[in-house]
């Protein structure tokens, strides 16, 4: 079966956005709202088990401030905090301080040159995706991705397979002619649930996750002069991820 499309997760996969991107943006939003909530690096690692910013805030309050009143006012507080967090996060991305991970740009160029179709499947807010792409690959890169499946477009976020199934439906492709790229256990569960063969590139927050079922688990996509480490599975005859290596998976 000939490979036709690559589907990418965003946070942790295209770029290391969590620790120094989303996390400080949540903290700044809490501060601006006069709340004394603060998510340090370790706590944020724990909270990442819950995907989606609004869902993460709700989980945090449930777990660490169980007596906080959960009324209509709370619902609008969560919505406002999340809007503020998105504004702060996209401003941060606009400074260009969060680069793409190793090999991402190279692989995207190679895939485009070979006529592969590209898509995104993420739980993050759509404008976070477009802002990251604009400030790393340039404005025109938005058109490279035929489908950007993001945020609340499906009610059940990762680990549910829904976001990948939605992307596949839009692409009008079966899972067997696509590959997914993920960095986390929740992400992998989601892509595998949609029947997608998946390449995992880990990061500090996900290094200890369980990646059973992944086609291969790597330190990163690697570059011709900076090989990646293979942590699980086999990258046949290759020391970085290019189309030749992907076709052999
Ligand atoms: C990413 C996430 C997101 C971001 C926050 O997961 O969990 O929730 O942390 O995004 P994945 P929003 O990489 O598996 O898609 O605040 O915009 O929801
Ligand atoms: Mg991710």
């Amino acid at each position: 079966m000939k490979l036709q499309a690559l589907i990418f997760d965003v946070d942790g996969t295209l770029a290391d956005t969590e620790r120094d991107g989303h996390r400080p943006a949540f903290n700044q939003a809490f501060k601006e709202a006069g709340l004394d909530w603060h998510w340090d690096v370790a706590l944020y690692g724990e909270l990442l088990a819950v995907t989606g910013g609004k869902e993460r805030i709700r989980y945090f309050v449930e777990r660490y401030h169980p007596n906080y009143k959960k009324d209509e006012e709370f619902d609008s507080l969560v919505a406002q905090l999340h809007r503020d967090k998105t504004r702060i996060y996209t401003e941060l991305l606009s400074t260009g301080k969060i680069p793409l991970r190793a090999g991402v740009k190279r692989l995207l160029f190679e895939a485009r040159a070979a006529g592969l179709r590209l898509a995104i499947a993420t739980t993050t807010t759509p404008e976070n995706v477009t802002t990251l792409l604009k400030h790393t690959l340039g404005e025109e890169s938005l058109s490279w991705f035929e489908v950007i499946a993001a945020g609340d477009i499906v009610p059940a976020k990762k680990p549910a397979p829904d976001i990948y199934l939605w992307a596949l439906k839009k692409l009008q492709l079966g899972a067997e002619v696509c590959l997914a790229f993920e960095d986390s256990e929740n992400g992998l569960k989601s892509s595998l649930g949609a029947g997608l063969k998946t390449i995992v590139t880990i990061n500090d927050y996900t290094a200890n996750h369980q990646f059973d079922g992944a086609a291969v688990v790597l330190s990163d996509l690697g570059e011709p002069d900076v090989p990646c480490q293979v942590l699980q599975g086999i990258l046949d005859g290759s020391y970085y991820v290019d189309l030749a290596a992907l076709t052999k998976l």
Side-chain angles (χ1 to χ4, degrees):
M1 205 79 72
K2 197 170 175 306
L3 179 62
Q4 293 195 39
L6 307 182
I7 312 179
F8 291 87
D9 167 50
V10 175
D11 296 303
T13 300
L14 292 186
D16 268 323
T17 49
E18 296 290 6
R19 198 192 67 183
D20 301 324
H22 289 290
R23 187 184 67 87
F26 280 112
N27 285 331
Q28 183 63 27
F30 300 152
K31 203 170 159 192
E32 286 179 14
L35 294 159
D36 65 354
W37 304 345
H38 181 83
W39 294 354
D40 64 25
V41 172
L43 172 61
Y44 194 66
E46 180 198 317
L47 298 176
L48 277 174
V50 178
T51 59
K54 294 185 287 292
E55 293 81 353
R56 191 167 297 146
I57 296 170
R58 285 181 180 283
Y59 170 80
F60 165 76
V61 176
E62 196 61 58
R63 171 91 172 73
Y64 292 97
H65 301 277
N67 297 325
Y68 206 92
K69 219 165 22 116
K70 313 282 181 343
D71 49 11
E72 258 175 44
E73 225 174 284
F74 178 67
D75 292 341
S76 52
L77 172 69
V78 172
Q80 186 59 47
L81 285 171
H82 194 251
R83 274 194 295 274
D84 289 341
K85 178 259 166 177
T86 300
R87 170 182 48 79
I88 297 159
Y89 177 68
T90 49
E91 276 168 17
L92 197 141
L93 289 179
S94 305
T95 65
K97 276 193 192 125
I98 300 196
L100 295 178
R101 294 192 62 185
V104 169
K105 186 174 178 178
R106 173 185 52 72
L107 184 62
L108 289 174
F109 272 84
E110 196 187 344
R112 274 172 54 73
L116 286 188
R117 298 164 69 191
L118 299 174
I120 274 172
T122 173
T123 62
T124 206
T125 304
E127 60 206 275
N128 295 348
V129 182
T130 49
T131 310
L132 177 73
L133 293 176
K134 260 191 230 172
H135 290 276
T136 51
L137 294 165
E139 182 90 40
E140 68 284 0
S141 65
L142 299 187
S143 66
W144 301 357
F145 295 89
E146 229 177 283
V147 176
I148 297 185
D152 298 325
I153 212 161
V154 292
K157 295 192 172 172
K158 297 175 187 177
D162 303 37
I163 196 76
Y164 277 102
L165 292 172
W166 195 91
L168 286 171
K169 197 168 164 205
K170 286 279 162 188
L171 287 167
Q172 294 188 293
L173 289 176
E176 68 285 354
V177 291
C178 304
L179 286 174
F181 293 79
E182 272 292 350
D183 70 302
S184 70
E185 191 169 337
N186 276 332
L188 177 65
K189 278 188 186 149
S190 174
S191 58
L192 291 181
L196 287 153
K197 200 171 258 196
T198 306
I199 291 95
V200 172
T201 51
I202 61 156
N203 56 58
D204 284 351
Y205 273 134
T206 67
N208 297 323
H209 286 192
Q210 183 60 248
F211 291 122
D212 286 352
V216 68
V217 180
L218 308 166
S219 56
D220 52 74
L221 295 176
E223 295 285 17
D225 55 343
V226 192
C228 61
Q229 278 169 270
V230 180
L231 307 167
Q232 194 179 304
I234 297 166
L235 198 60
D236 197 6
S238 211
Y239 48 92
Y240 64 95
V241 176
D242 60 1
L243 287 190
L246 289 181
T247 323
K248 285 189 211 158
L249 281 175

